[in-house]
Amino acid sequence: MTTTRMKPLRYSKPTPELYELPPLGMDSEALALDIRRNFGTFLGRDKHCRSTHYPYQALALAMRDRLMERWKRTRYAYEEQDARHAYYLSLEFLMGRTLNNAILNLGVDAAMTPALSRLGLDLEELMDVEHDAGLGNGGLGRLAACFLDSCATLQLPVMGYGIRYEYGMFRQHIENCLQVEEPDHWLRDGNPWELERPENTRRVQYYGHTEAYQDTEGRRHVRWVNSHDVLAVPFDTPIPGYRNDTVNVLRLWSAAATDEFDLGEFNAGSYTESVASKNAAENITMVLYPNDTSENGKALRLKQQYFLASASLQDVLTRWVLHHGNDLGNFAEKSCFQLNDTHPSCAVPELMRLLMDVHGMEWDAAWAITSRTMAYTNHTLLPEALEKWSVRLFGQLLPRLLEIIHEINVRFLKTVARRWPGDNARQARMSLIEEGSDPQVRMAYLAIVGSYSVNGVAALHSELLQQGLFRDFFELWPHKFNNKTNGVTQRRWMASANPEMAKLITENIGDAWIRQLDTLSELVPYAESSEFRAQWQAVKRANKVRLAALVRHDCNVDFDPDALFDVQVKRIHEYKRQLLNILHVIHLYARLKAGEDARDATPWTPRCVLIGGKAAPGYFIAKRIITLVCQVAEMINGDEQVGGRLKVAFLPNYRVSAMEIIAPGTDLSEQISTAGKEASGTGNMKFMMNGAITIGTLDGANIEIREEVGNENFFLFGLTAEEVEAARPHYDPNALIEADPDLKRVMDLLESGHFNQFAPGLFDPIIHAIRNPHDPWLVAADFRSFIDAQELAATAYRDRDNWARMSILNTASSGKFSTDRTMREYNAEIWKLTPVAPVGVTER
Ligand code: 26Q
């Protein structure tokens, strides 16, 4: 049934000479020659070329060729061993740039310098040409990218499956203190890292209806007919491990219209309309949804989710049949699917459908396979962010899937009834269908019921899932639940983003940390060496100069590299409390204006505050918070009396490649969410690795960060998750404001209209949010302890030498937060894969 434009060979009989090549050279001569050949021949450019684009492409293609040969050998090795695979299903892969990562992981960095210098090319300049692959919103998407890097480095047979959005995360501009969104057409200049494989095109069904029929042996089956089908065309991106010849695959699906699509309409006589109607199909993968909490009800989003699940499962099953024949008896022993949040959880009913309707299995056999292959990771504690889909919409769009979900639910509710006889309230609570005037499918419950493993992403988060959101399910199936604390890859976030620090570390303790991050603990004694501290400070200062240049360029604000660099970059969200950060900034401003610094015994600590992040386009209050940051920045930066002792900037278009400059140049990392709301956080880990000290609440992975680094090297403040819940019933922000002169002064300034002189009322929604006794984020409750912790940080920063010690100890204690550790845990407890090394090691 799969449509392909590709004809199979009939008369040709390829010999190994066609597909086997001697390994490509990895020395500077071979690299330079290939770059020249790509530039002059493949790209056809010459001495007149003045654009950075072609030298970049020529270099990228030279890297891709070297990835390609390792890629094939990795696949052969997996096939040879008939290796069990894990498939990481995710609507988002926030890959960022690839060039430097390819150079680093292939191990050609040393050879590249002379190669490029002969050709007169500057690597930094060429790296800057590449568009970020921004196929994600934030943490969840970047986590998927870090996972892939670690799996390849650990030589685990893991394949990523996602969507090749034509437009990634929007580009953010700030105009008149307002966020303006602009489409990100990241593929416009081509993408040298992807390889289209039209021969592996799959077909995905939508709409239509189901009908039952009997086969020749009288068995009852269901088929899905009259559907509108869309083709899924795969594009593969190589994922290299760190200097180990393993190259795994990220397969991204792109939607295309079927041939029938035009034929049908064509016969009806409307050629142009039919060609135009191809759009409907191709729109499915047009754009990434820019919300990092679920926006309910958009049919296109559900189409995307099913598109990914269906194409990927068909792909895996088709490959299975190719290598193992039609017997699926062993399928669950050889495969598992990790669901990155509920977004791909259509995979549960879709695998049931494929096993029954396409492969002829009975329900019980199909369920045995499905429920032994699916594993679900949750990334949120906000109950309102749990995904739901209207049963009506679901039934229209995916009629066969809805039938299967109903059947799963009937059987599941029998299990609940057996366990708690007569507890009807519990059955209603746990049902996959939320009843009401517009009944909803509860995707998280579907994922839990269909999976053998359910995990949270930090210790506190997993604990709160079990005691809160998923309590009923935990009582029923405690064995399914587990924690997998997030991490980040040190290859990108240290070795590549912070080469000077990497060099200093390697000179002193060797380079084992690049593969085994916990060896960074060997740095602990170096924190006591004044010489090492001085070197460490010099590296940090150079990185701050680099960050200051970015701020100068993008914000038109001057940051003094000798000031304390205080940074909060992440999606703009009320629970992340950028607002609390701004209240502190206003507090510092008020102190300076009141001349309090002069009266103080301790002198002032100059501070540069950087805030960056995108607001979901429809999130009104988040956008207003951006405006507040920008207005406060303008007021403070332009105030002569402040005189540069305090600087504030809002960094537009925060993205992966910006973080690569930001994290190395940060002194103080703001991780200030309301306790119990941030599932994990991963930016916190990137900052810690790069020697920033955290000011934070006991939330998400902050707790584990503090445990690793020690209380004395972390600025703690705020209510605990438990205290937050206890405080809610009698929370009285207005009383807190009256009782705290500092908070009162900040609110007075805000309410006086000082920051919105020409737009009266502009910040009223923000003021009301702070003063609201039902403020879910308890901004006023944590103000005092936040200000006090900030004061401690400012004082600590005055002793640069001791700050350097704390900074070193943060890096030295960050070993736990490598995704290598995270992936080892997923593998040991969920996936159970055996590492496989490719054979026939190629030249290095
Ligand atoms: C769902 C349905 C419809 C439209 C959009 C969405 C959607 C998209 C993205 C919902 C959520 C997201 C992203 C969530 C996310 O990034 N969560 C973060 O995940 C990180 C990795 O585990 C954690 O560290 C963060 O704490 C968590 O906020």
Side-chain angles (χ1 to χ4, degrees), residues 91-92 136-144 147 288-298 301 305 340-343 377-381 385 387-389 456-458 461 486 571 575-576 677-685 700-701:
L91 270 283
E92 305 191 3
N137 272 286
L140 167 149
R142 181 56 227 175
L143 185 74
F147 278 10
L288 167 79
Y289 274 83
N291 304 311
D292 62 352
T293 52
S294 75
E295 177 181 286
N296 277 334
K298 294 282 190 296
R301 170 74 182 184
Q305 296 185 350
N340 198 19
D341 216 302
T342 51
H343 315 156
T377 304
N378 171 285
H379 297 265
T380 186
L381 278 158
E387 241 189 311
K388 290 175 192 170
W389 289 102
V457 291
H461 172 228
N486 282 169
R571 289 302 292 264
Y575 83 79
K576 294 177 188 284
K677 296 301 169 190
E678 188 70 270
S680 163
T682 46
N684 48 3
M685 301 168 185

